[in-house]
Amino acid sequence: MATEIITKDDLNEFRELLLNDFKTLLQGKQPQENTKWLKSYQVKNMLKISPGTLQNLRVKGTIRYTKIGGILYYKQEDIQRLLEGKG
């Protein structure tokens, strides 16, 4: 059974998402569906690739990413599209 470590950055990201959802609800709008974000190690495991290959995919623009506080995040839907050959 794999153990996941929750970092302060993870908690801060969760807090921001939760606050945004509350603000949206208070404004009478429907909250947007939260995008599932993956970290590099999760993407490498899904695609069964090395860190260097993942870096090459980023450099070539094959995989989009967002960098927050030194951590790279990838949209799960983008990775899924890549796995399905639609990326």
Side-chain angles (χ1 to χ4, degrees):
M1 187 161 131
T3 303
E4 289 191 33
I5 297 173
I6 297 175
T7 64
K8 287 182 182 180
D9 290 334
D10 294 331
L11 292 174
N12 282 330
E13 180 183 356
F14 174 73
R15 180 180 62 82
E16 288 296 321
L17 291 171
L18 189 59
L19 286 174
N20 287 336
D21 284 348
F22 281 138
K23 287 177 187 175
T24 301
L25 288 172
L26 290 173
Q27 293 172 351
K29 300 176 186 174
Q30 290 294 324
Q32 295 178 358
E33 185 175 320
N34 288 335
T35 301
K36 171 80 174 170
W37 292 92
L38 303 171
K39 291 185 176 181
S40 293
Y41 78 91
Q42 294 168 310
V43 174
K44 289 187 295 185
N45 289 340
M46 285 178 72
L47 298 177
K48 296 178 177 54
I49 58 175
S50 69
T53 301
L54 183 57
Q55 181 178 358
N56 286 337
L57 292 172
R58 285 194 309 266
V59 170
K60 292 178 183 178
T62 305
I63 294 181
R64 296 183 303 171
Y65 65 95
T66 300
K67 187 174 183 179
I68 302 173
I71 299 173
L72 299 174
Y73 293 95
Y74 309 83
K75 287 185 182 180
Q76 183 177 18
E77 62 192 43
D78 290 346
I79 304 305
Q80 194 61 41
R81 249 186 262 128
L82 187 66
L83 283 170
E84 294 170 359
K86 300 176 185 175

